[in-house]
Amino acid sequence: MTSIAQNLSELVGSAFAAQDLPRELGQVRVSDRPDLAQFQCNGAMAAAKQAKKNPREVAQAIVDALSSNDIFSKIEIAGPGFINLNITDEYLQDYLTNLENFGVEPTDEDRKIILDYGGPNIAKAMHVGHLRAAIIGDAVRRIMNFKGYKTLGDVHMGDWGTHMGMLIGDYIREDEQNIVLNADMNDSNAVQKLMDDFAVRYPKASGAAKENPELMQEARDITVKLQDKAEPYYSIWQKIRSISVEGMKKTYAHLGVEFDLWKGEADVHDYIAPMVDDLKAKKLAYTSEGACVIDVTDDQDKKEIPPLILKKSDGGVMYGTTDCATIVERMKLYSPAKMIYIVDQRQSLHFQQVFRAVRKADIVNDNVELTHAGFGTMNGTDGKPFKTREGGVMRLEDLIAMAIDKATVRLNEANLATDMDDAERTDVAYKVAIAAIKFADLQNQRQSDYIFDLDRLTSFEGKTGPYLLYQTVRIKSLLKKAEAQNIKFENAALIIQEEDRNLALLLGEFSDALNLSIQNYAPHYLCEYIHKLAQSFSSFYGNCHILSEENEDLRSSRLLLCHKTANQLEKALELLGIFVPIRM
RNA sequence: GCGCCCUUAGCUCAACUGGAUAGAGCACCUGCCUUCUAAGCAGGGGGCUGCAGGUUCGAGUCCUGCAGGGCGCACCA
C-alpha cells in the first residue's frame, strides 16, 4: 500500500525494465499539467539520452507494454516524450476503498534515529529564536514515527558553558547564592521567583562580562571549576539547572513540542576525559597554542577549516567537546542509524568539524548518518535578525499569549461561540493559536532565512493553520449530523464523478508528501499537501451537495469521501503537531 | 582575505531534486450567506525567476562571471 503514483511507478518501472532500461526511470508523478493528464512519467527522455535513441520511440515502446493494463483510462505520448497517464475511476475507487494507514508503507529500519532539536540554554528565558528548531524538529519526529522509524528526540540543552560561569559568578559576587541554594523546589511561587531572577540577572551578568575583561575571566575560571564539579559552584548549578528545566518543560508543553530525552551538555561530562585520552593515544589530539585540539582538515578542502578545540588552554571544555562526547554516548546507548541536528544554519562549520572529528576518531562509522539539517535565520520585517521594538527578543510565552488573545477575540465575534462554555472556548483559542504559529513557520522551506512577521504568525485567514482546522471541523460537523440522522456510509460504494475526482485523487498523494518530508527532513512538503487537500475539500464543499444530496448512494459515497478526507487532514495536522478542535 | 547561503508577482513564500503554460496566501477588483460553519467559495488583474554568458531536446533548478543582501571563519554557544 503506497501512494497512487508509487503504485503506477512500479508498473511503469517494470515496463522500462522489460525494455532493458533502468527501472527507476519509470518513476511516475502527479502531472503538473492537470489539463492534460492526471499522472506523468518523464523517464523516456532520459532513457533515450542514455541509449541514444529517439525519445518518442522509447516512449512508444513503454506505452505499448502498458496498454494491456486495464487500470489506465488514457496513455499518451506528448511533446518530446512525456508519457501522460490517467487512471480509471474503478481503479481510484478500489484504491481508496482499500486504503490502509493513509497509503503509507512502514519502514523496515529498526535502528534508532536521534533528533536533536532543542538547544536552549538553561537560566535563559526561551524566546522566538527557539521556535524554529522546536517546531520543525517536533514535526520531523512525529512524521518519522508515523513512518515507523524509532526516533529519540533530545532537547540537548546548553548547561555547561561559560554562560553558567557568568551567572554563578554574579550570585557569588553579590553574595546572593543562598537565594538559589535555599530555594524550596516544592514551592511553585519560589520557583517562579527564581526563574524571574534568572531572567533579569543573566542578561545583566552577560552584558557586564562583555564589557569588563576581568569579569569575563572570572566567569571562565568559575566555568572550569564548575566543570570539575567543585563546590559551591556545582551545587548552585544543580539548583539552577533543575529549576530551569522545569520552566523549559512548561514552555515546550505549552507549544505542544515533545522530547524523549531531556539531556544537556553536562550529562556527557564523564565521557570527555576517556574520549580525549583515546584521541591522544590515537595521535589525533595534540596541543596547539596551549589548547588540546583535533585536526579535521581534508586534502580536498577548498577552505581552511580550523581544528576542533577539545580543551581550552585553561582546561575548560567547549560545546564541540560535549557534542563529540554526546555522540560517544549515543553510539554506546542506542547505536543509532542516524543523528539529525535541527539547528540554525550558522552552525554548519561547527557541525562539519564535529562530524569529521568523530568519523576520524572512529567513534562513528559509515553506517551512521550524521546530518545537520540547518534552518535559516529568523529576520525581522526589515530583513535584519529579529528584534522587538525594545531591542530585545520576544519571549516565546509572550508570542503564544498574543496569538491566544487574538484567537479569543476572533472567536467571540463568531456566532457559534455563544453556546461554548469557558473551558471549550479556551481550548479552541489555544488550538487555533498554536495552529497559526506552527503552520506559518512550518510551511517555509527549512533552509532559507525567513521573516518573522507577527501579523502573519497570528493570522487566521488564507493559507494558515486555522484555515486547515476550519476545513477539518466543517467535515466533522457534517459527519456528526449524518450520525445524528442515523445515516450509515462506512461501507458505501464510492462513486467517482467529475466533482469528486480531484479530491479523491489527492487522497492518494499523502504518502508522496510524507516521503518527501522524511527524505529532506522538511515538513513543508507535508504542509503544501495538507493545504491542497483542504482547499480541494473546501471547493468540493462549496460546489456539491453532500448531506443534502437526494440520491442516497451518492450521498453515502460523498460522506465516505468526506470521512476519509477528515481522517487524513487530522492525521497530517497531528504530524505537524497541530490538533483539531471539535468546532470553531 | 577565504568559504557557505540567498535574490521568483507590490509583500510573504512554493515549484516533487533538469520537464510541458512558474503556483499559493496577503493586498487590490467583481460576484456569492432564507441549503450542510463566510476563519469560506467562484472569478479578475499582476512575472525578462537579480544581470550576462554557457551546458541540452528542455534551465527558476546545473556550470562560469558580475551586481546586491545575509552568515561563518581556535579557545562564546
Side-chain angles (χ1 to χ4, degrees):
Chain A
M1 192 87 229
T2 59
S3 73
I4 295 176
Q6 281 171 294
N7 286 345
L8 300 185
S9 295
E10 273 177 41
L11 288 175
V12 180
S14 297
F16 271 79
Q19 302 287 320
D20 280 329
L21 296 168
R23 184 174 282 273
E24 314 82 71
L25 293 178
Q27 186 70 243
V28 172
R29 45 184 258 201
V30 173
S31 176
D32 49 22
R33 286 292 301 273
D35 53 320
L36 298 180
Q38 295 165 347
F39 298 91
Q40 63 179 325
C41 170
N42 303 333
M45 290 173 289
K49 193 182 257 181
Q50 281 177 25
K52 296 192 172 135
K53 287 184 180 166
N54 179 332
R56 287 191 68 106
E57 275 171 29
V58 174
Q60 189 59 53
I62 303 298
V63 168
D64 291 344
L66 291 174
S67 59
S68 62
N69 214 311
D70 62 4
I71 74 168
F72 296 109
S73 62
K74 178 165 96 172
I75 312 177
E76 281 179 355
I77 302 171
F82 296 102
I83 301 171
N84 283 337
L85 303 164
N86 276 4
I87 56 172
T88 63
D89 288 339
E90 289 72 30
Y91 177 77
L92 184 53
Q93 283 160 20
D94 194 50
Y95 174 86
L96 291 178
T97 303
N98 297 310
L99 195 62
E100 281 170 20
N101 204 34
F102 308 101
V104 173
E105 202 162 10
T107 177
D108 52 13
E109 173 65 70
D110 61 355
R111 287 179 297 164
K112 297 265 192 294
I113 312 287
I114 296 183
L115 299 165
D116 201 311
Y117 53 92
N121 285 343
I122 64 167
K124 270 170 100 170
M126 289 186 63
H127 54 80
V128 292
H130 297 111
L131 195 62
R132 296 210 77 191
I135 290 179
I136 297 171
D138 187 56
V140 170
R141 182 184 60 81
R142 290 172 190 271
I143 290 168
M144 292 188 96
N145 281 347
F146 184 65
K147 180 77 178 175
Y149 287 101
K150 301 182 172 73
T151 65
L152 285 173
D154 184 3
V155 71
H156 199 73
M157 58 203 142
D159 59 5
W160 211 224
T162 311
H163 66 293
M164 294 314 304
M166 292 175 188
L167 184 64
I168 295 169
D170 192 84
Y171 275 113
I172 290 175
R173 201 166 43 250
E174 308 271 338
D175 198 23
E176 290 179 336
Q177 60 270 35
N178 286 338
I179 300 180
V180 180
L181 290 170
N182 298 338
D184 179 3
M185 290 293 292
N186 297 318
D187 178 353
S188 62
N189 274 337
V191 167
Q192 185 57 49
K193 244 177 95 181
L194 214 44
M195 282 199 281
D196 294 342
D197 189 54
F198 298 158
V200 177
R201 195 178 294 259
Y202 174 75
K204 187 190 84 179
S206 156
K210 265 177 206 153
E211 303 221 327
N212 183 342
E214 276 176 38
L215 287 181
M216 183 59 95
Q217 191 52 52
E218 185 191 88
R220 290 204 185 102
D221 292 344
I222 290 175
T223 305
V224 175
K225 287 178 195 159
L226 168 66
Q227 292 177 349
D228 285 337
K229 303 193 179 177
E231 294 298 347
Y233 314 104
Y234 191 62
S235 292
I236 298 173
W237 174 86
Q238 280 181 310
K239 209 68 182 270
I240 293 174
R241 174 174 153 137
S242 52
I243 287 168
S244 297
V245 169
E246 209 165 299
M248 207 181 274
K249 284 190 175 177
K250 224 189 264 175
T251 299
Y252 277 125
H254 205 181
L255 252 189
V257 167
E258 296 167 7
F259 295 95
D260 303 290
L261 304 172
W262 287 85
K263 295 210 170 195
E265 298 169 329
D267 289 310
V268 295
H269 190 71
D270 293 343
Y271 288 91
I272 291 175
M275 178 183 78
V276 173
D277 288 346
D278 180 54
L279 291 175
K280 281 181 182 161
K282 285 176 177 161
K283 306 269 184 233
L284 293 170
Y286 60 96
T287 304
S288 167
E289 295 173 33
C292 177
V293 304
I294 175 169
D295 180 78
V296 292
T297 54
D298 187 291
D299 293 343
Q300 289 157 23
D301 282 344
K302 286 188 177 147
K303 60 173 175 185
E304 266 186 57
I305 296 191
L308 184 73
I309 296 178
L310 295 166
K311 289 222 161 187
K312 300 191 283 185
S313 46
D314 65 10
V317 300
M318 311 227 311
Y319 77 134
T321 325
T322 55
D323 277 352
C324 288
T326 299
I327 293 174
V328 171
E329 184 189 49
R330 287 173 180 169
M331 289 308 297
K332 184 181 160 202
L333 297 183
Y334 311 114
S335 186
K338 304 178 184 200
M339 291 178 233
I340 317 293
Y341 294 81
I342 294 145
V343 178
D344 194 316
Q345 195 74 259
R346 286 175 291 188
Q347 300 291 325
S348 70
L349 178 59
H350 166 73
F351 283 111
Q352 203 173 357
Q353 290 175 293
V354 169
F355 295 166
R356 284 190 183 190
V358 294
R359 290 209 190 274
K360 211 165 166 181
D362 230 10
I363 292 167
V364 298
N365 62 29
D366 292 343
N367 292 326
V368 182
E369 177 189 322
L370 295 170
T371 299
H372 172 210
F375 53 81
T377 316
M378 186 183 260
N379 292 328
T381 40
D382 57 358
K384 292 176 187 158
F386 176 74
K387 290 265 178 351
T388 57
R389 234 171 294 157
E390 295 75 34
V393 191
M394 185 182 293
R395 289 180 54 223
L396 212 37
E397 290 289 0
D398 291 341
L399 172 68
I400 298 171
M402 272 186 260
I404 290 176
D405 283 349
K406 211 169 150 185
T408 307
V409 169
R410 179 71 190 81
L411 198 55
N412 289 339
E413 285 166 8
N415 305 330
L416 55 80
T418 49
D419 63 328
M420 282 190 200
D421 60 30
D422 284 352
E424 185 177 3
R425 194 193 308 269
T426 305
D427 180 62
V428 172
Y430 168 70
K431 282 177 172 151
V432 167
I434 295 295
I437 292 171
K438 285 190 175 177
F439 192 77
D441 192 313
L442 288 170
Q443 65 175 303
N444 293 301
Q445 199 195 124
R446 169 171 52 74
Q447 45 272 28
S448 50
D449 290 355
Y450 98 135
I451 308 280
F452 178 86
D453 181 350
L454 192 60
D455 288 338
R456 182 159 173 257
L457 241 56
T458 58
S459 166
F460 305 148
E461 279 153 37
K463 191 176 181 180
T464 64
Y467 171 86
L468 305 173
L469 297 185
Y470 180 69
Q471 300 308 340
T472 312
V473 162
R474 288 216 287 194
I475 307 180
K476 290 172 84 170
S477 164
L478 261 183
L479 297 174
K480 224 186 300 169
K481 281 187 179 161
E483 197 187 345
Q485 292 173 35
N486 210 17
I487 299 171
K488 297 270 178 265
F489 57 84
E490 283 79 4
N491 298 314
L494 278 171
I495 301 166
I496 308 288
Q497 296 188 334
E498 204 54 39
E499 304 81 40
D500 323 69
R501 195 175 291 115
N502 278 343
L503 183 58
L505 280 167
L506 220 36
L507 289 173
E509 286 184 39
F510 184 85
S511 172
D512 294 330
L514 194 88
N515 287 338
L516 274 172
S517 282
I518 291 172
Q519 282 157 24
N520 298 287
Y521 311 118
H524 85 275
Y525 290 105
L526 189 59
C527 291
E528 207 62 37
Y529 170 72
I530 300 173
H531 181 245
K532 260 200 313 195
L533 185 61
Q535 249 183 347
S536 180
F537 167 76
S538 192
S539 174
F540 174 69
Y541 181 88
N543 293 330
C544 290
H545 292 280
I546 301 170
L547 208 50
S548 51
E549 171 58 48
E550 287 173 10
N551 177 329
E552 284 189 15
D553 290 340
L554 191 53
R555 183 182 67 188
S556 296
S557 164
R558 286 189 171 158
L559 283 168
L560 183 57
L561 195 60
C562 285
H563 178 64
K564 286 177 183 292
T565 305
N567 284 348
Q568 214 162 90
L569 283 172
E570 195 160 19
K571 174 54 76 178
L573 286 167
E574 180 197 315
L575 298 184
L576 299 178
I578 294 172
F579 296 89
V580 183
I582 298 161
R583 51 186 187 162
M584 63 184 278

